[in-house]
């Protein structure tokens, strides 16, 4: 028997054993509780405890599994119930009371408690399925398809649903075939740069040297981004399989997961996945009898944003400060310990098993010609349905914000979206119908980044937003390059002055000049892209900069130094003292007409009075510039 036949036969036995274990779950009711970080933050562990207690209390025979994130983070805690005779139903916003009802009324009786249902997982006549909603028609989950539906700590679940079949298939082919298949798929790195994955693998494979490495870059550090964390917590085997295939393709025998230490659950689940894969013969010596040997370790990063850059990541793994290095040579030819090294993002590796199993042409059938496949976005900020969404490349921002995210809360207007993390750009409402892919975002002055997307509404000041993101990148600068270290500092000083009403004529032009200097004089991607939020906000919201500088006015009423709180006399209800009681510094008093007045000298602009004023009155407003308060006072 040749090695290909041995691999196929060995894996078939493993697959059959896993399928048997998976099918056994359907013999009795099954309850899935999402306990990824998003679920835990919403109280999922308490819900899990209540469900187990209720099952024992009522003597109900059902199995309970902890699963990962389905992407519907806005509705956490999420519980999914499988009961024979009913479609699988997911319940959102589950409280301890609802958890008790699901056990007593649904599992103990036949009431599916549809008043608490979020959606069914498959089409039926009883309750709408996820695919019946606009969101379900746009999303096309590939790498998220098993997230929230399998126990990430049981390898059998992943294998039973097709997992590791791609690895077994790859081991029956030549490594060159694997590289060519990835090249033909057009897969581009999902960590931010969008470099063709197949070309990177080919360069490493052809690089001289017996010892090579593959590294999964899980140093996710963008504000508002949590895609990689959710995938590692929900389906670590998918990424591990992709890493193993990459190793086979380039000829590496050792791989690493580089995970920031702030992701303890991801670290824990990846370590368990590695150990389970070793025990199953999918890692280690002579994998599945193929003759190929490969093993993986976990390296925990300390959370420096710059370590998401390949050469800085390598430096930190070698025990050096996480500083970027000059390129060339590129890591694919001289990386970790001077050896050829492939570094791929979590999502990039997660696509690999699907491409090997279904083919390059299948992958190209989704997305755009230049950006095939899907993309995973983390929706955060001023959007109703926060969470993860996997959509085809080319999906428009409008579809993501309004169909997937259900729009802007509280009836506010959409203003902009910050895409691509702190080094990305802010796109205005006019860009809502722009298709999202690597090339179109670059042309618009933004970038795909790792997939973080922060939605902004009419209350957000774009100058302040630019200041916020530049403050982040300035603090995360490693300081190696002068222009990044000092140029961003000078830009930040100018922005802070503008948001305090201390801007000067010529500041906008100076910001533009400094931005180009920082981009040209920085070594790594952090410095080269740090000015992007400033450049894009000046490009699309220059009028707001000018209002701050020329009129000392913040149009969005967000910059604290440029606003004042004011109580409209004509709307103030004389018998109401809600604002007086809410003020922490006793800045509100009642005048001789029983109208409440804010002492501007005492006011700390905490907005407590605005929140306390009953909605039927709406008497408290913000004014900008603050001098308007005096003008209003003279007119009374």
């Amino acid at each position: 028997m040749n090695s290909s036949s041995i691999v196929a036969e060995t894996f078939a036995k493993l697959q059959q054993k896993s399928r048997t274990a998976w099918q056994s779950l359907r013999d009795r009711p099954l309850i899935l509780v999402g306990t990824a970080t998003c679920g835990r933050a919403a109280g999922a562990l308490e819900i899990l405890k209540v469900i187990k207690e209720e099952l024992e209390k009522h003597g109900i025979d059902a199995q309970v599994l902890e699963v990962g994130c389905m992407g519907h983070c806005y509705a956490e805690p999420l519980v999914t119930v499988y009961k024979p005779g009913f479609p699988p139903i997911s319940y959102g916003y589950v409280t301890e009371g609802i958890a008790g009802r699901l056990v007593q009324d649904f599992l103990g009786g036949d009431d599916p408690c549809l008043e608490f249902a979020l959606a069914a997982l498959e089409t039926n006549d009883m309750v709408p399925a996820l695919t019946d909603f606009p969101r379900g028609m746009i999303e096309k989950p590939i790498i998220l398809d098993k997230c929230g539906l399998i126990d990430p700590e049981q390898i059998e679940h992943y294998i039973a649903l097709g997992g590791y079949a791609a690895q077994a298939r790859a081991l029956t082919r030549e490594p060159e075939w694997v590289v060519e298949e990835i090249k033909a798929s057009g897969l581009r790195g999902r960590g931010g740069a969008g470099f063709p994955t197949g070309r990177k693998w080919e360069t490493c494979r052809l690089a001289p040297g017996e010892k090579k490495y593959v590294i999964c870059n899980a140093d996710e550090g963008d504000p508002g981004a949590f895609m990689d964390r959710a995938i590692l917590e929900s389906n670590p085997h998918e990424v591990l399989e992709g890493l193993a295939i990459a190793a086979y393709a380039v000829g590496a025998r050792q791989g690493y997961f580089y995970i920031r230490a702030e992701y303890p659950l991801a670290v824990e689940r990846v370590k368990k996945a590695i150990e389970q894969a070793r025990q199953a013969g999918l890692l280690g010596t002579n994998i599945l009898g193929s003759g190929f040997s490969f093993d993986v370790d976990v390296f925990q990063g300390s959370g420096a944003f710059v370590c998401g850059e390949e050469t800085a990541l390598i430096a930190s793994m070698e025990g050096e400060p996480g500083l970027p290095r000059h390129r060339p040579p590129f890591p694919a030819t001289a990386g970790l310990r001077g050896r050829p090294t492939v570094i791929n993002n979590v999502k990039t590796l997660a696509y690999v098993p699907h491409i090997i199993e279904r083919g390059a042409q299948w992958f190209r059938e989704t997305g755009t010609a230049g950006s095939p496949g899907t993309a995973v976005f983390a929706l955060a900020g001023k959007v109703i349905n926060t969470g993860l969404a996997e959509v085809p490349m080319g999906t428009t921002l409008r579809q993501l914000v309004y169909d997937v995210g259900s729009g802007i809360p509280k009836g506010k207007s959409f203003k902009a979206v910050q895409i691509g993390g702190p080094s990305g750009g802010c796109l205005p409402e006019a860009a809502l119908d722009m298709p999202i892919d690597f090339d179109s975002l670059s042309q618009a002055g933004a970038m795909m980044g790792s997939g973080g997307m922060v939605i902004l509404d009419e209350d957000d000041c774009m100058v302040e937003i630019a200041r916020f993101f530049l403050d982040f990148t300035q603090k995360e600068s490693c300081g190696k390059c002068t222009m990044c270290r000092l140029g961003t500092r000078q830009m930040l000083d100018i922005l802070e002055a503008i948001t305090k009403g201390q801007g000067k004529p010529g500041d906008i032009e100076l910001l533009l000049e400094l931005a180009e200097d920082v981009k040209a004089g920085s070594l790594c991607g952090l410095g080269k892209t740090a000015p992007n939020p400033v450049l894009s906000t000046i490009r699309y919201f220059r009028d707001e900069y000018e209002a701050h500088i020329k009129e000392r006015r913040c149009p969005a009423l967000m910059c604290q130094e440029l606003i004042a709180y004011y109580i409209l006399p004509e709307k103030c209800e004389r018998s109401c003292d809600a604002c007086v009681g809410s003020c922490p510094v006793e800045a509100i008093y009642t005048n001789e007409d029983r109208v409440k007045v804010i002492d501007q000298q005492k006011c700390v602009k905490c907005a407590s009075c605005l929140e306390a004023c009953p909605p039927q009155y709406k008497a408290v407003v913000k004014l900008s510039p603050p001098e308007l308060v005096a003008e209003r006072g003279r007119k009374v």
Side-chain angles (χ1 to χ4, degrees), residues 50 58 178 205 358 444 466 525 560 570 576:
V50 169
H58 296 281
V178 179
R205 173 153 190 83
R358 303 190 210 185
Q560 289 292 295
E570 67 275 18
C576 175

Side-chain angles (χ1 to χ4, degrees), residues 207-519:
E210 287 294 319
K211 204 163 192 175
K212 301 178 181 179
Y213 299 104
V214 289
I215 299 173
C216 173
N217 184 351
D219 193 47
E220 185 176 55
D222 294 2
F226 45 91
M227 305 79 59
D228 295 354
R229 184 197 71 204
I231 292 171
L232 292 178
E233 291 177 351
S234 306
N235 192 5
H237 285 287
E238 183 178 49
V239 187
L240 181 57
E241 184 183 8
L243 188 66
I245 293 172
Y248 178 71
V250 304
R253 291 176 174 268
Q254 179 64 49
Y256 296 94
F257 275 87
Y258 187 101
I259 311 175
R260 55 178 44 219
E262 291 96 327
Y263 287 179
L265 184 60
V267 171
E268 176 186 332
R269 289 184 170 172
V270 167
K271 285 184 175 179
K272 286 185 179 178
I274 291 171
E275 186 55 37
Q276 289 175 349
R278 285 177 183 145
Q279 293 177 1
L282 295 163
L283 285 180
T285 304
N286 192 22
I287 295 172
L288 296 175
S290 65
F292 173 65
S293 300
F294 173 66
D295 212 339
V296 181
D297 288 319
V298 172
F299 185 96
Q300 295 188 52
S302 58
F305 181 69
V306 72
C307 286
E309 198 275 340
E310 291 185 347
T311 59
L313 180 151
I314 288 172
S316 74
M317 290 184 70
E318 293 174 341
E320 302 292 332
L323 303 178
R325 298 170 176 168
H326 286 280
R327 296 183 294 180
F330 292 93
T333 55
L336 182 64
R337 303 176 190 115
R339 309 289 187 178
T341 304
V342 159
I343 303 175
N344 284 138
N345 169 263
V346 168
K347 297 181 290 297
T348 309
L349 291 169
Y351 281 108
V352 169
H354 299 279
I355 294 171
I356 296 301
E357 185 66 9
R358 303 190 210 185
Q361 184 54 41
W362 162 83
F363 189 69
R364 279 196 170 277
E365 290 172 357
T366 301
T368 63
S371 303
T374 59
V376 179
F377 292 99
L379 299 181
K382 308 288 184 61
V383 65
I384 293 174
N385 292 344
T386 56
L388 300 183
E390 184 176 2
V391 298
M393 288 281 194
T395 299
T396 66
L397 278 171
R398 186 182 301 280
Q399 289 175 306
L400 260 177
V401 174
Y402 287 96
D403 294 333
V404 176
S406 296
I408 313 301
K410 301 179 181 179
K412 300 283 186 178
S413 300
F414 172 90
K415 186 170 191 177
V417 57
Q418 164 71 14
I419 186 169
S423 298
C426 292
L427 299 179
E429 185 178 11
L432 275 175
D433 293 315
M434 183 183 72
I436 306 172
D437 58 46
F438 288 103
D439 303 321
S440 60
L441 286 175
S442 178
Q443 292 170 8
M447 59 186 288
M448 178 71 77
S450 62
M453 188 175 286
V454 181
I455 316 299
L456 307 171
D457 71 8
E458 62 191 67
D459 294 334
D460 291 307
C461 169
M462 301 313 295
V463 184
E464 169 58 22
I465 293 297
R467 189 209 61 78
F468 172 82
F469 282 108
L470 192 67
D471 180 62
F472 176 86
T473 50
Q474 210 284 323
K475 288 175 178 171
E476 291 290 341
S477 171
C478 70
K480 183 172 183 175
C481 302
T482 303
M483 284 311 301
C484 181
R485 183 179 70 252
L486 299 181
T488 54
R489 179 68 254 178
Q490 188 176 356
M491 292 179 69
L492 183 60
D493 289 343
I494 294 172
L495 287 173
E496 287 178 343
I498 294 175
T499 56
K500 292 177 181 176
Q502 300 166 2
K504 302 185 295 294
D507 275 353
I508 297 176
E509 290 70 24
L510 183 55
L511 282 171
L512 293 172
E513 185 179 339
L514 284 168
E516 294 304 323
D517 290 342
V518 171
K519 292 174 72 171

Side-chain angles (χ1 to χ4, degrees), residues 72 74 89-90 114 117-124 127-140 385 399 402-406:
H72 298 265
Y74 64 92
I89 303 173
S90 286
L114 295 182
L118 186 69
L121 298 187
E122 57 189 43
T123 303
N124 66 95
V127 58
L130 286 173
T131 52
D132 294 329
F133 294 92
R135 173 177 185 151
M137 299 177 192
I138 295 173
E139 286 188 292
K140 187 172 183 179
N385 292 344
Q399 289 175 306
Y402 287 96
D403 294 333
V404 176
S406 296

Side-chain angles (χ1 to χ4, degrees), residues 70-150:
M70 294 178 66
H72 298 265
C73 305
Y74 64 92
E76 295 284 359
L78 266 167
V79 172
T80 300
V81 179
Y82 291 79
K83 181 177 181 180
F86 292 86
I89 303 173
S90 286
Y91 300 86
Y93 312 100
V94 176
T95 62
E96 293 182 8
I98 294 175
R101 288 280 307 278
L102 292 177
V103 173
Q104 296 171 43
D105 297 349
F106 190 12
L107 298 186
D110 280 330
D111 176 7
C113 301
L114 295 182
E115 64 271 32
F116 307 125
L118 186 69
L121 298 187
E122 57 189 43
T123 303
N124 66 95
D125 296 328
M126 182 181 298
V127 58
L130 286 173
T131 52
D132 294 329
F133 294 92
R135 173 177 185 151
M137 299 177 192
I138 295 173
E139 286 188 292
K140 187 172 183 179
I142 294 175
I143 61 175
L144 297 184
D145 64 338
K146 299 181 184 66
C147 293
L149 302 178
I150 62 173

